[in-house]
Amino acid sequence: MRGLLGVLVAAGTLAGASMVATTSAEAGLFHRGGDCCTVAKRVQYRQPVETVVPRVTYERVRSYRTVWVKKAFTDRCGCRKFYRNVAVQQPTVSVVKKVTYERVRSYRTVSTVKHYRKRCCCN
């Protein structure tokens, strides 16, 4: 029996049994340092998050296109006129879409339970 009692004391189960056997007056003393003076509230706060967002800009770009036109020519002596199709580079201005990706800080709402300490509630 003594060996079993020594094992129970070492394991702490006997100490737990003595806590259960306390009176209600003693229980108030034990709870004073415990969780009776805390209040749990649901709190919402904004957490910053970085997201990648496409940013679209439009730019004017000067480019050239090939146009075939009829051009009048004369022969060497200048008495006869004839036409030939000639490729001509014609400048054009076009609008081009340019996409760049940027990191933007955005916020998401997070709700959690926080424990607040009240004033003394055990008296």
Side-chain angles (χ1 to χ4, degrees):
M1 185 69 178
R2 279 188 159 174
L4 180 65
L5 187 63
V7 170
L8 289 176
V9 169
T13 57
L14 199 61
S18 68
M19 288 283 286
V20 173
T22 58
T23 63
S24 63
E26 291 175 344
L29 293 175
F30 286 121
H31 283 295
R32 199 169 276 195
D35 291 335
C36 78
C37 296
T38 60
V39 175
K41 289 185 181 178
R42 182 161 295 278
V43 178
Q44 291 184 347
Y45 64 94
R46 310 272 290 172
Q47 183 179 21
V49 177
E50 285 191 1
T51 57
V52 178
V53 177
R55 174 156 303 202
V56 179
T57 57
Y58 294 95
E59 292 183 351
R60 291 179 175 256
V61 176
R62 185 176 181 136
S63 59
Y64 296 93
R65 66 184 181 129
T66 303
V67 178
W68 292 89
V69 280
K70 282 186 176 181
K71 192 170 182 183
F73 289 98
T74 58
D75 60 355
R76 290 184 182 172
C77 64
C79 61
R80 190 174 77 109
K81 287 186 178 181
F82 59 95
Y83 293 94
R84 283 194 181 150
N85 285 331
V86 179
V88 177
Q89 299 292 324
Q90 184 178 14
T92 60
V93 176
S94 59
V95 178
V96 177
K97 182 167 115 175
K98 183 179 179 184
V99 179
T100 57
Y101 293 95
E102 294 182 349
R103 290 187 179 270
V104 177
R105 176 178 285 170
S106 60
Y107 295 92
R108 68 180 182 133
T109 304
V110 178
S111 67
T112 184
V113 175
K114 286 200 170 190
H115 297 280
Y116 294 100
R117 185 175 174 92
K118 292 193 324 186
R119 290 190 174 178
C120 188
C121 64
C122 299
N123 291 336

